[in-house]
């Protein structure tokens, strides 16, 4: 523990030049302790006597800090400032600070000679050691320090106040009560304060998970089966010991909790011996704690009868002195003369023997499951006890299960005879199941789920803490299983709990490899060796050995050997923590050095060079390069249907433009980006924040750029189209084409015609739609039949998809199928996901209109797979609905109904009104077949209302027909005839031959049955 002296004046002739180590960002807990009324304690006293009085009290304060692994950063004359979690990170820094504060407060209460006020807060600080020849200062700066100081000032004498951030970092072990709020400044957010009533050195255990509600057990069934089998063997008298090995958060406690929940464990008495890295004053020693846990588990209480029962058991199986050892462990001093004559080492031996003997004897009455959690923190006597248990339980009804981390020095080393089970991260599908369970199935969360899964990389604790942080920061809103996206601009921040855990691993490294790891984190989760050499903090000759150490410690794995070596962080969160430790002042030049190295490399031996240049140019604040490569990387991601990545690069390019002069060319770039960002939001089902497209239109008019005005107008029409403002979308689309005139690129003209044609299909103006789509298709065939056109992708394929649906509604079924099969061949040849899924969905709709449900099924199943994999949420409601209807029509009524309901819910969540009438009409049709007449009428009436509001004439026609059928089934003949007449009228006006044929057939059936003349 450093013991810094008071800082001398900066002009002291003896101080010399200050030496500073590199400042680092740390997540820590800060403790301020102040001696109350210290002035009155020293008033009128001799200076030496006053000094001794204060030093005696300060020693009590500093001893408590040292006891729990803290650092005294400053001694303030009548108080101290202490930091937990720096210079070396501690995963439980918040709990340690609370335990230290409790010891200080209790010392003050017990002494009656002084009083203290204590404030504690947790959060991020910048920490740096500054040294001269005569003094050392551990400097910590940040809001967390000021909050802790304010809490100390607010605290009552001999009390402790702590912040919400500190409380959130201690899931178990604290008892607190609310203590109001305080503000650092008039404009600052209030800080919620809590008064500490009690603190215990505890951690979340398997028993906590056993009693938790709503927990999900994913992906550990094979390991659970092995452990359950071992329990069955132990119950038959073949005891054993097993050890679960896995990194922190991998799910060891969850697996053991599930084992305790299993039917096999019901016959066992369960004794849990959790291990802790810290111990309070007065806590029982290791063997005493084990004995007490055993007594509570077997007897349910610590009482004289319990002591007698365990002592007798130890005596019967281990002899008289083993029984006396057990008596002493349980807090009743032995008066046996032989025991009194033993030295401490002999007593320790008999204590281990007594515990093992008692366990063996008690297991004859009822099988015992002994769980030793976190054995990487065990100490000498506990290690000896575990070794003795391994040898002593083979012929008993005892199963000993130990959990441990592989990357923590110290603790128990299991013998070769102990069955070791290594837990690996969850598989991607298992992580998806976990996220779906907790978040639900809102399409708005698909990208967020993918980011959380990639960041957490299958570690359950990281998944849980990430979700908790997302909820706390407002990124998600709702309740478990039914969350949706909250703040559109909220940033996914690193969970503070996970930060402490990983930072402690990083800080345990030697200085050289640790700095290499932090500099490598600047490059990203994948680290090219050539780029790492450019930012290496150690000589090139030392780099291989440092990398070998990092690989050996589990930080890196080799992901590529040729054409050049590439390493990958085993956990993305480790990269985040290492990067977050660097100060912003240090990061920027490192990004600049990586950028310089990237500019000397080629795309050939670094395939993602454009994306890397965009990223590093932005953080190096090279704004021209950040803008240029951000746009380039965004276009590359867009063409690969990586819409989230595309949006991120476009947004960085837009921010880079804020630092560049407003030339005409830069204004044009800004317009392009304002168009590009909404373009990649559209397939994700995400709505615009603000109205950047309207700003783009205004800016384009301001510089008289008709082409960019047309592009922004056309895309704004697309948004209105998707969200059901159909007439407005058609008007905007026509306006875009009018403004384009004879100017602009062929790509823009084809896009405009395709969009207008698709809108007219949804409107029901099929002849005009066919005309516009044929114009677009002709232009695309003549200029670039297989070219990609941004979001609209392969123009020939998309125009044919719309044309096929249009032809089907006009009754030209065979022609529709031929056109779309040709389009599908082109889309699959190019391999563009958006194009393939779009064509398959529309071809399936053609088959459904024609009653060929079995042919629609494989197309729709493929489309669902594509839309889920590429997160094309825009297609999911109609795709799921069509699949549900086709399944129901081919014999799967229950599954079909489930998918139809899911599709309707997705359309509602996405606020997409256009697919809802068709989905509701399908639901009405199925309800009618099962005699759910009221449901059929309700669905069809709802469909008609939505279609009318959106201006979907063709869907209105089909809704009228559905209502005619439903009202006929309930003998409401007048209403049925009114809707049938409306359907017939619309079918004639819109040239909808299939609807006309259905109406004609239905009228004939009614006439034949005498229900209508």
């Amino acid at each position: 523990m450093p013991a810094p002296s008071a800082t001398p004046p900066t002009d002291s002739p003896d101080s010399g030049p200050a030496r500073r180590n590199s400042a680092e960002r740390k997540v820590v807990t800060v403790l301020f302790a102040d001696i109350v009324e210290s002035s009155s304690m020293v008033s009128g006293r001799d200076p030496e006597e006053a000094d001794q009085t204060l030093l005696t009290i300060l020693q009590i304060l500093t001893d408590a800090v040292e006891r729990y692994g803290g650092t005294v950063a400053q001694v303030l004359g009548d108080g101290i400032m202490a930091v937990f979690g720096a210079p070396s990170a501690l995963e439980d820094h918040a709990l340690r600070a609370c335990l230290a504060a409790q010891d200080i407060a209790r010392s003050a209460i017990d002494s009656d000679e002084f009083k203290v006020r204590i404030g504690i807060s947790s959060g991020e600080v910048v920490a740096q050691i500054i040294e001269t020849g005569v003094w050392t200062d551990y400097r910590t700066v940040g809001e967390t320090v000021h909050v802790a100081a304010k809490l100390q000032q607010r605290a009552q004498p001999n009390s402790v106040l702590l912040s919400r951030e500190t409380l959130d970092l201690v899931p178990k072990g604290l008892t607190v009560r609310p203590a109001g709020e305080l503000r650092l400044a008039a404009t600052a957010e209030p800080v919620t304060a809590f008064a500490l009533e009690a603190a215990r050195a505890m951690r979340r255990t398997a028993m906590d998970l056993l009693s938790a509600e709503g927990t999900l057990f994913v992906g550990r069934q094979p390991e659970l089966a092995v452990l359950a089998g071992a329990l069955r063997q132990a119950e038959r008298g073949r005891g054993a010991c097993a050890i679960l090995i896995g990194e922190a958060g991998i799910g060891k406690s969850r697996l053991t909790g599930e084992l305790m929940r299993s039917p096999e464990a019901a016959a066992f008495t369960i004794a849990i011996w959790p291990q802790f890295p810290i111990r309070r004053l007065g806590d029982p020693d290791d063997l005493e704690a084990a004995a007490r846990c055993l007594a509570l588990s077997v007897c349910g209480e610590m009482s004289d009868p319990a002591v007698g029962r365990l002592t007798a058991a130890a005596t019967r199986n281990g002899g008289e002195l083993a029984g006396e050892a057990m008596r002493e462990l349980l807090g009743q001093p032995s008066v046996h003369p032989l025991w009194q004559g033993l030295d401490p080492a002999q007593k320790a031996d008999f204590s281990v023997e007594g515990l093992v003997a008692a366990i063996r004897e008690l297991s004859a009455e009822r099988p015992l499951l002994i769980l030793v959690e976190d054995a990487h923190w065990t100490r000498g006597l506990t290690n000896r006890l575990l070794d003795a248990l391994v040898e002593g339980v083979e012929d008993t009804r005892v199963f000993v299960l130990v959990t441990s981390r592989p990357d923590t020095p110290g603790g128990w080393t299991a013998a070769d005879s102990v069955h070791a089970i290594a837990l690996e991260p969850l598989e991607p599908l298992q992580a998806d199941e976990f996220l779906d369970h907790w978040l639900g199935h809102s399409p708005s969360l698909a990208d967020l789920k993918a980011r959380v899964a990639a960041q957490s990389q299958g570690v359950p604790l990281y998944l849980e803490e990430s979700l908790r942080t997302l909820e706390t920061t407002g990124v998600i809103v709702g309740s478990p299983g039914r969350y949706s996206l909250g703040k559109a601009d909220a940033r996914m921040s690193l969970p503070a709990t996970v930060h402490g855990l990983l930072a402690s691993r990083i800080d345990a490294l030697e200085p050289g490899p640790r700095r290499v790891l932090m500099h490598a984190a600047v490059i990203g989760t994948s680290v090219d060796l050539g780029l790492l050499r450019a930012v290496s903090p150690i000589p090139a000759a030392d780099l291989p050995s440092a990398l070998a150490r990092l690989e050996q410690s589990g930080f890196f794995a080799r992901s590529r050997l040729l054409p050049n070596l590439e390493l990958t962080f085993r956990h993305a969160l480790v990269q985040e923590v290492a990067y977050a430790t660097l100060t912003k002042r240090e990061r920027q030049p490192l990004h600049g050095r990586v950028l310089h190295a990237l500019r000397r490399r080629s795309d050939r031996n670094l395939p993602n060079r454009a994306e890397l240049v965009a990223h590093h140019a932005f953080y190096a604040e090279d704004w021209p390069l950040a803008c240029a490569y951000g746009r380039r990387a965004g276009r590359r991601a867009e063409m690969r249907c990586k819409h989230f990545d595309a949006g991120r690069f476009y947004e960085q390019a837009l921010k880079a433009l804020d630092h560049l002069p407003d030339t005409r060319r830069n204004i044009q770039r800004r317009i392009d980006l304002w168009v590009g960002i909404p373009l990649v939001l559209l397939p994700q089902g995400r709505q615009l924040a603000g109205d950047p497209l309207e700003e783009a239109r205004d800016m384009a008019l301001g510089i008289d750029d008709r082409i960019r005005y047309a592009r922004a107008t056309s895309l704004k029409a697309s948004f209105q189209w998707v969200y059901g403002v159909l007439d407005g979308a058609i008007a905007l689309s026509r306006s875009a084409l009018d403004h384009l005139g004879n100017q602009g690129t062929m790509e823009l003209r084809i896009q405009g015609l395709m969009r207008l044609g698709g809108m007219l299909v949804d409107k029901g103006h099929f002849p005009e739609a066919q005309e516009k789509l044929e114009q677009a298709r002709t232009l695309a065939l003549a200029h670039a039949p297989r070219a990609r056109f941004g979001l609209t992708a392969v123009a020939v394929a998309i125009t044919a998809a719309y044309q096929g649906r249009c032809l089907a509604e006009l009754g030209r079924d065979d022609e529709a199928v031929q056109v779309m099969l040709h389009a599908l061949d082109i889309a699959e040849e190019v391999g563009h996901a958006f194009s393939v899924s779009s064509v398959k969905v529309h071809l399936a709709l053609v088959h459904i209109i024609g009653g060929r449900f079995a042919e629609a099924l494989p197309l729709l199943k493929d489309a669902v797979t594509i839309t889920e994999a590429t997160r094309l949420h825009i297609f999911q409601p109609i795709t799921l609905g069509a699949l549900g209807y086709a399944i129901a029509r081919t014999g799967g009524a229950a599954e079909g109904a489930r998918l139809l309901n899911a599709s309707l819910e997705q359309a509602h969540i996405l606020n997409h009104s256009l697919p809802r009438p068709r989905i509701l009409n399908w639901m009405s049709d199925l309800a009618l077949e099962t005699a759910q007449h009221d449901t059929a009428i309700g669905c069809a009436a709802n469909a008609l209302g939505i279609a009318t509001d959106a201006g979907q004439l063709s869907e209105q026609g089909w809704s009228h027909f559905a209502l005619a059928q439903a009202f006929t089934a309930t003998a409401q003949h007048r209403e049925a005839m009114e809707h049938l007449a409306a359907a017939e009228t619309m079918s004639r006006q819109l040239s909808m031959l299939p609807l006309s044929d259905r109406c004609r057939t239905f009228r004939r059936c009614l006439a034949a049955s005498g229900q209508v003349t």
Side-chain angles (χ1 to χ4, degrees):
M1 178 195 73
S5 60
T7 303
T10 56
D11 59 351
S12 168
D14 298 323
S15 63
R19 297 189 302 276
R20 303 167 183 260
N21 72 336
S22 296
E24 293 183 349
R25 300 173 74 96
K26 294 277 192 178
V27 175
V28 301
T29 298
V30 177
L31 179 152
F32 273 89
D34 178 68
I35 303 170
V36 178
E37 297 178 354
S38 59
S39 298
S40 62
M41 295 174 66
V42 300
S43 178
R45 304 176 74 172
D46 181 81
E48 290 188 26
E49 183 183 352
D51 181 50
Q52 186 59 45
T53 299
L54 290 179
L55 283 177
T56 301
I57 299 171
L58 289 173
Q59 190 64 49
I60 295 172
L61 274 57
T62 57
D63 285 349
V65 171
E66 184 178 19
R67 186 177 307 124
Y68 295 103
T71 298
V72 177
Q74 293 179 20
V75 177
L76 306 171
D78 59 355
I80 62 168
M81 170 188 164
V83 181
F84 294 79
S88 294
L90 298 166
E91 62 179 271
D92 49 3
H93 53 87
L95 175 60
R96 289 171 181 267
C98 292
L99 290 169
Q102 179 175 256
D103 283 4
I104 292 170
R106 286 181 176 175
S107 296
I109 293 169
D110 293 344
S111 74
D112 270 341
E113 294 180 2
F114 70 97
K115 297 178 181 179
V116 291
R117 292 188 179 94
I118 304 172
I120 301 174
S121 185
S122 303
E124 195 171 26
V125 300
V126 173
Q128 183 178 30
I129 297 175
I130 303 175
E131 297 178 299
T132 70
V134 296
W135 60 274
T136 300
D137 182 21
Y138 190 69
R139 184 170 177 266
T140 53
V141 179
E143 184 179 338
T144 299
V145 178
H146 294 273
V147 171
K150 288 286 186 181
L151 288 167
Q152 175 260 308
Q153 294 168 12
R154 172 81 76 86
Q156 294 297 313
N158 291 346
S159 72
V160 182
L161 290 185
L162 52 99
S163 67
R164 161 65 71 181
E165 289 74 17
T166 300
L167 182 61
D168 287 344
L169 287 174
V170 188
K172 186 178 180 183
L174 298 187
T175 303
V176 300
R177 56 180 170 79
E181 295 181 338
L182 60 88
R183 291 180 183 271
L184 291 181
T187 58
E189 290 292 321
V191 175
T192 304
F194 297 88
L196 180 67
E197 296 188 337
R200 298 177 62 193
M202 301 178 68
R203 296 174 60 83
R204 191 170 66 165
T205 65
M207 187 59 74
D208 300 313
L209 296 175
L210 179 63
S211 60
E213 295 293 330
T215 56
L216 180 68
F217 183 67
V218 175
R220 305 296 188 203
Q221 281 74 18
E223 294 88 350
L224 180 61
V226 170
L227 294 175
L231 280 183
R232 289 192 292 270
Q233 292 294 319
E235 189 176 4
R236 299 186 188 106
R238 293 192 290 274
C241 181
I243 182 169
L244 291 178
I245 302 173
E247 63 183 280
I250 201 68
K252 302 183 292 295
S253 292
R254 188 170 299 280
L255 175 56
T256 51
E258 200 66 23
L259 179 67
M260 290 190 292
R261 204 191 300 265
S262 68
E264 289 82 1
F268 283 72
T269 295
I270 301 173
I272 302 178
W273 301 346
Q275 305 299 305
F276 305 107
I278 50 180
R279 179 184 295 169
R280 296 182 307 164
L281 285 174
D283 281 352
D285 67 25
D286 296 343
L287 296 185
E288 288 174 352
R292 292 182 185 187
C293 286
L294 184 63
L296 289 171
S297 301
V298 173
C299 305
E301 61 180 357
M302 275 295 299
S303 61
D304 288 343
V307 174
R309 182 179 175 187
L310 265 67
T311 299
T315 302
R316 286 194 301 271
N317 196 274
E320 200 172 10
L321 288 179
E324 293 305 311
M326 178 59 70
R327 187 188 308 279
E328 286 255 340
L329 290 176
L330 293 173
Q332 290 189 2
S334 171
V335 295
H336 195 289
L338 288 178
W339 178 262
Q340 294 294 327
L342 298 177
D343 62 34
Q346 291 172 318
K347 288 183 178 181
D349 291 339
F350 278 111
S351 295
V352 171
E353 290 179 20
L355 274 167
V356 175
I359 289 168
R360 289 174 56 86
E361 185 70 18
L362 291 169
S363 71
E365 304 171 17
R366 179 181 170 89
L368 274 170
L369 167 58
I370 297 175
L371 173 59
V372 183
E373 292 197 80
D374 297 320
H376 46 274
W377 284 322
T378 57
R379 290 171 285 265
L381 287 177
T382 302
N383 293 337
R384 287 176 58 188
L385 174 59
L386 288 174
D387 289 337
L389 281 173
V390 170
E391 297 176 359
V393 300
E394 290 183 1
D395 58 347
T396 67
R397 298 201 297 166
V398 178
F399 182 58
V400 181
L401 181 58
V402 180
T403 69
S404 186
R405 298 179 191 172
D407 54 4
T408 304
W412 181 58
T413 301
D416 293 340
S417 60
V418 176
H419 180 47
I421 301 174
L423 295 188
E424 300 297 332
L426 299 176
E427 296 293 331
L429 287 178
Q430 295 165 346
D432 291 343
E433 180 185 353
F434 182 95
L435 292 171
D436 286 342
H437 172 82
W438 286 111
L439 291 177
H441 298 275
S442 171
S444 66
L445 295 177
D447 284 311
L448 186 66
K449 286 179 181 178
R451 289 158 59 198
V452 171
Q455 183 189 57
S456 303
Q457 292 184 303
V459 179
L461 176 68
Y462 301 170
L463 288 166
E464 290 176 1
E465 293 302 314
S466 294
L467 296 184
R468 185 175 290 112
T469 301
L470 290 173
E471 182 179 37
T472 302
T473 55
V475 177
I476 57 174
V477 293
S479 57
R482 300 190 63 85
Y483 283 106
S484 59
L485 200 62
K487 298 177 182 176
D489 58 344
R491 188 175 61 90
M492 195 169 80
S493 55
L494 183 68
T497 46
V498 175
H499 189 289
L501 185 66
L502 296 178
S504 64
R505 280 191 63 201
I506 294 171
D507 284 359
L509 290 166
E510 299 90 346
R514 179 177 180 272
R515 291 300 294 178
V516 169
L517 186 77
M518 291 164 60
H519 283 218
V522 174
I523 298 172
T525 53
S526 295
V527 182
D528 177 89
L529 184 58
L531 298 179
L532 181 57
R533 289 194 185 102
V535 294
S536 174
I538 62 176
D542 298 335
L543 188 57
S545 61
L547 293 177
R549 174 75 177 89
L550 291 169
E551 283 189 75
Q552 181 185 5
S553 301
F555 289 99
F556 280 143
R558 299 192 180 198
S559 53
R560 189 179 67 208
L561 296 177
L562 297 173
N564 41 287
L565 178 63
E566 182 181 82
L567 302 168
T568 300
F569 277 88
R570 285 189 179 273
H571 288 297
L573 285 173
V574 171
Q575 183 265 337
E576 282 198 45
V577 172
Y579 183 77
T581 303
L582 296 166
T583 63
K584 294 178 181 178
R585 187 182 300 110
E586 192 173 4
R587 294 174 200 165
Q588 183 183 343
L590 289 173
H591 281 292
R593 286 160 62 183
V594 176
L595 179 63
H596 182 71
L598 282 168
R599 298 190 72 180
R600 299 199 303 267
R601 299 284 289 274
S602 67
D603 292 343
R604 181 176 55 81
N605 63 11
L606 203 60
N608 60 339
R609 178 176 170 273
E611 289 78 6
L612 287 171
V613 171
H615 173 79
H616 290 287
F618 182 79
Y619 287 103
E621 299 184 9
D622 188 327
W623 304 124
L625 270 182
C627 179
Y629 274 87
R631 292 164 59 224
R632 178 179 170 185
R635 285 193 296 270
R636 281 163 55 96
E638 183 183 336
M639 296 303 287
R640 296 194 296 268
C641 288
K642 294 185 175 182
H643 302 114
F644 176 81
D645 291 338
R648 177 169 57 86
F649 284 122
Y650 285 153
E651 286 172 358
Q652 287 184 350
L654 194 58
K655 290 176 182 176
L657 267 177
D658 292 338
H659 299 272
L660 299 176
D662 279 337
T663 63
R664 177 180 175 84
R665 186 69 192 99
N666 282 341
I667 291 173
Q668 290 174 329
R669 291 181 177 123
R670 187 178 297 278
I671 295 170
D672 293 342
L673 289 166
W674 274 344
V675 171
I677 291 172
L679 187 64
V680 296
L681 292 178
L682 194 58
Q684 300 176 66
R686 293 167 58 190
Q687 298 190 46
L688 295 172
D691 197 349
L693 290 173
E694 191 59 36
E695 292 185 51
R697 295 173 77 210
D698 291 344
M699 190 166 283
L701 285 176
I703 61 172
D704 194 26
D705 191 326
R706 298 174 64 86
I707 295 174
R708 284 180 170 78
Y709 178 84
R711 183 180 292 122
T713 301
S714 179
L715 186 57
K716 183 166 185 175
S718 292
F719 270 89
Q720 292 195 355
W721 177 20
V722 168
Y723 293 105
V725 189
L726 202 48
D727 290 333
I730 292 171
L732 279 174
S733 194
R734 294 188 195 279
S735 172
L737 287 169
D738 289 344
H739 275 82
L740 193 60
N742 295 323
Q743 301 180 34
T745 64
M746 190 58 61
E747 173 188 348
L748 186 55
R749 185 172 304 282
I750 293 170
Q751 282 182 345
L753 287 168
M754 280 193 297
R755 286 173 180 158
L756 179 56
M759 294 170 195
L760 292 169
V761 171
D762 278 331
K763 180 70 177 175
H765 290 169
F766 300 115
E768 186 184 0
Q770 179 68 4
E771 174 194 341
K772 300 298 182 186
L773 291 169
E774 186 57 34
Q775 289 178 22
R777 182 169 176 271
T778 301
L779 288 172
L781 284 170
H783 291 86
R786 282 159 177 74
R788 300 181 186 182
F789 287 78
L791 178 63
T792 49
V794 184
V796 173
I798 299 297
T799 52
Y802 292 143
Q803 278 185 302
R805 183 174 148 209
C806 185
L807 291 168
E809 295 282 13
L810 292 171
R812 295 155 63 180
D813 188 75
D814 291 341
E815 186 180 349
V817 172
Q818 291 305 312
V819 166
M820 297 193 74
L821 287 174
H822 178 63
L824 185 56
D825 287 341
I826 295 174
E828 289 182 332
E829 178 187 334
V830 175
H832 189 267
F834 189 99
S835 305
V836 172
S837 61
S838 180
V839 174
K840 288 194 172 187
V841 170
H842 283 83
L843 179 54
L845 292 175
V846 169
H847 285 315
I848 288 174
I849 292 171
R852 299 181 296 277
F853 301 107
E855 294 179 47
L857 275 176
L859 294 166
L860 290 166
K861 289 178 180 178
D862 287 348
V864 166
T865 301
I866 294 170
T867 56
E868 287 180 349
T870 57
R871 298 188 288 281
L872 291 169
H873 309 312
I874 190 173
F875 281 134
Q876 285 182 340
I878 191 64
T879 306
L880 281 179
L883 178 60
Y885 186 55
I887 288 174
R889 279 300 194 178
T890 52
E895 176 65 9
R898 187 188 69 80
L899 289 174
L900 280 164
N901 283 315
S903 70
L904 197 62
E905 183 179 2
Q906 280 206 334
H908 175 73
I909 291 171
L910 292 170
N911 196 27
H912 287 187
S913 61
L914 293 184
R916 291 166 67 189
R918 182 158 298 207
I919 295 168
L920 285 163
N921 282 329
W922 287 332
M923 295 172 74
S924 175
D925 190 35
L926 295 176
L928 199 60
E929 285 199 351
T930 54
Q932 300 177 60
H933 300 142
D934 290 343
T935 300
I937 291 172
C939 287
N942 195 6
L944 179 59
I946 295 170
T948 301
D949 290 342
Q952 296 170 271
L953 300 178
S954 58
E955 296 299 342
Q956 291 175 42
W958 284 109
S959 300
H960 280 300
F961 180 71
L963 282 167
Q965 291 180 301
F967 279 126
T968 298
T970 55
Q972 299 180 63
H973 299 301
R974 182 177 61 81
E975 290 85 351
M977 290 302 100
E978 288 176 357
H979 285 290
L980 180 59
E984 290 170 331
T985 300
M986 299 200 80
S987 70
R988 288 192 299 271
Q989 291 174 345
L990 302 176
S991 304
M992 295 173 64
L993 188 58
L995 177 58
S996 179
D997 289 344
R998 294 282 299 275
C999 290
R1000 189 180 304 111
T1001 301
F1002 186 62
R1003 186 174 285 279
R1004 286 173 182 168
C1005 291
L1006 292 177
S1009 63
Q1011 296 182 58
V1012 63
T1013 58

